[in-house]
Amino acid sequence: MCGIIGYNGVCDPKDILLDGLKRLEYRGYDSAGIAILEKDQVGVYRSKGRIQSLEDKLIGRHFEGSLGIGHTRWATHGAPNEINAHPHRVGSVTLVHNGIIENYLEHKEALKQLKRKITSDTDSEIVAHLFDIEIQKGKNLQQAITAVIPRLKGSYAFVVMSDREPDLLIGLRNGAPLLVGLGQNENFLASDVQAILHRTNRVIYLKDNEYVICKKGSIEVYDSLGAPVTFEVKTIHWTPDQMEKGGYRHFMLKEIYEQSQAVANTIESKINHEKGLVSIPELKPYLEQLKNLKSISIVACGTARHAALVGKYYIEKFARVAVDVDFGSEFRYRDPILDKDSFTLLISQSGETADTLAAEREAKVKGVKTLAICNVRESTLARESDIVLYTNAGPEIGVASTKAFTTQLVVLFLFAVELGYIRGHLSEQQAKDHTAEALKLPFLIESTLAVDNQIEALAPHLQKKDFFFYLGRDVNYPIALEGSLKLKEISYAHAEGYPAGEIKHGPIALIDKKVASVMLSPLANGTEANPDSMSALLYEKMMSNLQEIKSRGGMIITLGSGEDQILKKESDYYIGIPKTTWALNPILLTIPLQLLAYHVAVGRGADVDKPRNLAKSVTVE
């Protein structure tokens, strides 16, 4: 969650550090700071709030030094204020930290016994004291790190500097992301590639329990015992242009409009065009196990969990494999029953979600194969899982997930189709039909985006609503959950997603004229001619729920298929998506719900890309 940037080179670090921190704003933060070593003395500059406040403190300042670290903090221990902001300086040691030190209270009590002056409420400052104690014993920074790290419990990434060694930074990680960027006579440390991609695309991803000695012209990587580690340099193919707004008002809106291309990129590597079939290369070594699968456990958090719930419908329908869906934060604590003939499927945009990583490791301990759906190459989840299916969505900067979610849905759909074909529950022709429909998705998404103007005009009518219900049935119910989450995340309006049939079991008591209900009621292709189909039956049930709400004075916004005259007549506002199949309806329904949340949030004056209290990647439990 916290953002880290470190620089060791030949330039004034101030602008490099501030620029890197701005590129990490999407991670979420409540304070910011930098530290620069100049003339054998470290200067620390911190502020509460946005990076602009920190910049204001530094106006007109030029530094002769060329070594520095920066940080955006998302509060875990201690209130969001300047005292608790990073970097923390103790004696000759200055550091920044992402993560949580679980046994910090134990160390804090020991430091008090040593009459150490503790100035903040953070766990991070405690570690700076521990490093400083070792240095005062005569150790260098590397020796101090190898002495302290075995005594820490928790997840962390640190970047540390010392007045006594003005030519190096040390970065170390265990459970929180940290990478090295390689330049010409300059090197970088960062929690996320976005911070440095405009300066270098050559990176080293540190593994857990590794640390790096970062000098201007050299990089050395060691394990926790101090033994040298051979590292691999990766080339990042995202371009800096992909990470700019490109004329859009917000990153979120840009990323909503990028979904057709993102989905096309996701599909491209998973289709055998010659055969007209889904063909995912990463699954080939596991075909026999997939044929004999007894069950699948899907684990994810937040938006990714809503994708998992849709995936459950896909997999059970197409492949007839029983699927459980768990919250990442609950999975390992309930001691899950996992069969060695099952798979654990983990979904995370960043691949660094702490709860999801813990679930992956729990599955590994129980001897179960793990399959990751992830967007970020070389992320921890991608490296640790047995199989990884990349969504290829490209960088997603807005905190509220948009294109990452739709591409997760697409990967789950393609996985379910291939699994169904492998297991013999889909015929070759059925698998080809589903593949053909998937290839239409980018064009269907482009058509769906045409509702943007209609939703923008609708949004002012919703600004003052107290409460929103999002209602759906079957495979569209998880999309109701996702739609309500999007609205909550960025507009701060209260919203709840429900299976439509459940509202009469209590929630209907909330319905009045102050409440808006967003109802997901599409039909699937061909069902109009077949009134006995499940899609048509669910449509009828949704109509019944609509009438229940309408009779109690609630506002009704309905999303349906095409020019549905019945829904138009019965709803206060109607939004039509292109007609498509049962399986692809959830993907198309997602887009107007993203736009609805976006326009309501803009109308309320919310910071759409950086909503309060939220982080893009939750790297602590």
Side-chain angles (χ1 to χ4, degrees), residues 276-326:
L277 284 169
V278 176
S279 179
I280 302 174
E282 294 84 353
L283 299 181
K284 299 307 177 193
Y286 300 91
L287 290 181
E288 203 58 39
Q289 288 168 278
L290 292 170
K291 284 180 184 177
N292 298 306
L293 266 184
K294 289 184 177 178
S295 63
I296 295 175
S297 295
I298 310 183
V299 183
C301 302
T303 284
R305 183 176 174 274
H306 299 156
L309 290 168
V310 175
K312 173 182 171 71
Y313 283 95
Y314 289 162
I315 294 166
E316 291 189 344
K317 186 175 183 68
F318 296 152
R320 307 307 296 162
V321 178
V323 177
D324 288 326
V325 177
D326 264 288

Side-chain angles (χ1 to χ4, degrees), residues 147-164:
V148 170
I149 292 307
R151 296 153 56 192
L152 301 181
K153 296 179 182 178
S155 64
Y156 50 80
F158 289 104
V159 177
V160 192
M161 57 198 290
S162 171
D163 304 10
R164 300 184 184 185

Side-chain angles (χ1 to χ4, degrees), residues 383-397:
R383 292 196 306 270
E384 292 188 3
S385 298
D386 296 304
I387 311 168
V388 56
L389 307 182
Y390 287 109
T391 55
N392 297 323
E396 187 177 72
I397 308 301

Side-chain angles (χ1 to χ4, degrees), residues 503-515:
I503 62 163
K504 55 185 170 288
H505 297 286
I508 201 167
L510 295 172
I511 298 293
D512 61 22
K513 63 182 180 180
K514 296 179 181 179
V515 175

